[in-house]
Amino acid sequence: MYGALITGAIPAPVWDGFDIGPVTIHAYALCIVAGMIAALWLASRRWKARGGPEGSIIDISIWAIVFGLVGARLYHVVSSPDAYFGPNFDGTGDLTKIWRVWEGGLGIWGAVALGAVGAWIACRRYGFKISAYADVVAPGVLLAQAIGRLGNYFNQELFGGPTTAPWGLQVSADHPNFPAGALEGTLFHPTFAYEMLWNLLGVALLLLIDRRLHLRRGMMLWSYVAWYTAGRTWIEMLRIDEAEMITLFGTTQRLNVWTSLLMLLIAIGFLIYLGLKRPKTAEARAEADSVWRAGREPIEESESGTETGTETETGTGSGTASATAAGESVPAEPAVDAEKVNAAETKKVADPVEKSD
């Protein structure tokens, strides 16, 4: 029976990167980069469908990614401080590990928080609505998280407790993350794989719901938060890696569990509020669909090359007609004396033609 379980188990990885000269390219980093590329691809398609200018989604996302990576690392350090500061901050930790991102350790809530700050700065700079950007990229973020979770497999990290399930995960007994006291050959819950599958299912559901309901004004963002936290809560409870423990209401749980529960409640609250405030008129729906902030919409040009909304001078007749249509008073043309005109024409015929010098 045990041999059968081992046969069907997820084997421990035999490769975690490659070297290019003195530089090591880790599989974890490749998964993160692949996730970003996939997220940008999906976001670009959705941005174009919303009428956003081509290329601008990349400009905003660069800000969000840089800020998000910093926030993700900071959140991980705060939520799992022992390795960096020592138990109870006794100073026995290794502060240099804070910079070793390639060894794993990125917290999604730090990425979301600081990534949102970066996106807000960029949207203000380029004239876009932060809610429109957030709605566009939310499914892509979930897709990036799914792909990024593969990196946890290559790092042999973020797995759960022992299991007898046939899909159990093998962890190398000589790996630093192998639980102390566990027997060699013990299988563990592949919680990173659970989260990966949960996220992929979420991407499909969010895109399907958006196609039918047109989630706008932040509704797609909060739908993503609700879906992700609902899954993260129970998956986090299965994990056995070190984490900050918090006691609330007489219950001690990992910090990420309490954070996920709090964010789930907040997301549900926002979805109810935004659902009640959904645009009712065609004008309001059109405004909600726009990615531009008020007053920052691009000026369209007519076929003749003139800007729409600007008046062009096409001659006296058109100017008079425009002024009349606008209700403005137009000075009357002076009356013409017919007799004086006839006399002048008769004199012109009678006089000899003057010669030029």
Side-chain angles (χ1 to χ4, degrees):
M1 179 63 179
Y2 182 75
L5 291 177
I6 291 294
T7 301
I10 301 173
V14 295
W15 174 86
D16 65 350
F18 57 91
D19 295 329
I20 300 180
V23 179
T24 300
I25 306 299
H26 293 270
Y28 179 81
L30 293 176
C31 292
I32 296 295
V33 172
M36 291 179 180
I37 294 173
L40 288 174
W41 169 79
L42 180 58
S44 295
R45 290 175 58 89
R46 288 172 50 76
W47 185 254
K48 183 178 180 181
R50 287 282 298 272
E54 186 176 357
S56 56
I57 195 73
I58 305 296
D59 297 332
I60 304 172
S61 296
I62 289 175
W63 286 75
I65 290 171
V66 172
F67 275 70
L69 287 175
V70 174
R73 186 59 175 176
L74 290 176
Y75 183 88
H76 169 74
V77 171
V78 171
S79 61
S80 304
D82 288 1
Y84 312 101
F85 305 101
N88 299 316
F89 298 90
D90 61 7
T92 60
D94 184 356
L95 292 178
T96 64
K97 288 185 176 182
I98 294 177
W99 316 110
R100 302 178 199 169
V101 181
W102 56 88
E103 295 180 356
L106 296 174
I108 181 59
W109 296 121
V112 171
L114 272 191
V117 173
W120 179 81
I121 294 173
C123 285
R124 295 279 297 183
R125 180 176 181 177
Y126 300 125
F128 299 112
K129 291 190 288 190
I130 183 62
S131 61
Y133 173 79
D135 285 339
V136 165
V137 303
V141 171
L142 198 57
L143 178 60
Q145 288 175 253
I147 297 174
R149 279 303 177 204
L150 283 176
N152 301 138
Y153 168 70
F154 292 107
N155 275 3
Q156 301 194 64
E157 62 183 359
L158 305 190
F159 47 83
T163 180
T164 57
W167 57 81
L169 172 71
Q170 291 180 342
V171 178
S172 301
D174 59 349
H175 195 276
N177 291 333
F178 190 83
L183 297 176
E184 184 176 355
T186 300
L187 302 182
F188 302 92
H189 279 287
T191 50
F192 59 84
Y194 299 164
E195 187 172 328
M196 181 181 67
L197 295 175
W198 179 268
N199 291 347
L200 290 175
L201 178 60
V203 172
L205 287 176
L206 290 178
L207 293 178
L208 180 61
I209 293 172
D210 186 48
R211 179 177 296 182
R212 296 181 60 87
L213 300 181
H214 302 286
L215 302 177
R216 301 290 185 268
R217 301 180 306 124
M219 290 194 72
M220 172 60 84
L221 169 66
W222 292 111
S223 296
Y224 148 72
V225 173
W227 176 265
Y228 176 72
T229 53
R232 181 62 184 268
T233 299
W234 66 267
I235 294 172
E236 186 75 19
M237 290 180 178
L238 296 175
R239 284 169 47 173
I240 58 174
D241 54 293
E242 293 184 0
E244 189 74 6
M245 306 300 289
I246 304 294
T247 301
L248 293 174
F249 313 111
T251 302
T252 301
Q253 272 295 346
R254 300 162 66 94
L255 174 61
N256 282 331
V257 172
W258 293 119
T259 303
S260 296
L261 286 173
L262 176 61
M263 294 304 300
L264 176 59
L265 293 176
I266 292 175
I268 292 173
F270 269 105
L271 286 173
I272 293 174
Y273 171 77
L274 293 172
L276 295 175
K277 296 291 184 179
R278 283 179 70 92
K280 301 299 191 298
T281 65
E283 292 79 5
R285 287 191 291 270
E287 194 280 331
D289 280 337
S290 175
V291 301
W292 297 96
R293 295 177 59 209
R296 298 294 297 273
E297 299 88 348
I299 299 175
E300 298 180 358
E301 294 187 357
S302 62
E303 294 182 359
S304 60
T306 58
E307 296 178 351
T308 59
T310 60
E311 296 181 6
T312 56
E313 187 175 346
T314 56
T316 305
S318 61
T320 303
S322 300
T324 303
E328 301 177 0
S329 60
V330 180
E333 296 183 1
V336 179
D337 192 331
E339 293 182 1
K340 291 182 178 181
V341 173
N342 292 335
E345 293 295 331
T346 302
K347 183 176 182 302
K348 186 182 294 185
V349 172
D351 291 342
V353 178
E354 295 181 357
K355 295 182 180 181
S356 62
D357 294 335

